[in-house]
Amino acid sequence: MVKTISNSVFLSLLVLGLLGTSMAFGQELSAQEMQEQEEVERLSAAGVEAYKAKEYNKAVGLFQQALAIQP
């Protein structure tokens, strides 16, 4: 039997994956990297809110913007 994960768990994993790439191993970030990180966090949070509001196309666009900044 295949179990599926809930949407909120999936979104949490996605956001953690986006955020974790530059924060791994306690690396210090440059000013530009910090700005990029903040933008990725903002876009990801907005994507989660759009998803919760069932604005799926908007959510996808926001997540794609975040991924373009930090693949």
Side-chain angles (χ1 to χ4, degrees), residues 20-29:
T21 56
S22 66
M23 299 172 92
F25 307 111
Q27 297 174 339
E28 289 191 33
L29 302 177

Side-chain angles (χ1 to χ4, degrees), residues 13-25:
L13 292 173
L14 176 64
V15 170
L16 287 174
L18 289 171
L19 299 178
T21 56
S22 66
M23 299 172 92
F25 307 111

Side-chain angles (χ1 to χ4, degrees), residues 20-67:
T21 56
S22 66
M23 299 172 92
F25 307 111
Q27 297 174 339
E28 289 191 33
L29 302 177
S30 70
Q32 179 180 350
E33 289 172 325
M34 288 179 74
Q35 288 176 337
E36 290 175 354
Q37 184 66 35
E38 289 171 3
E39 182 66 2
V40 167
E41 290 175 18
R42 185 190 69 75
L43 290 165
S44 297
V48 169
E49 291 305 312
Y51 181 86
K52 288 178 180 179
K54 298 183 181 183
E55 297 174 352
Y56 303 117
N57 289 332
K58 181 179 179 181
V60 168
L62 291 163
F63 290 133
Q64 287 175 334
Q65 288 178 50
L67 284 169

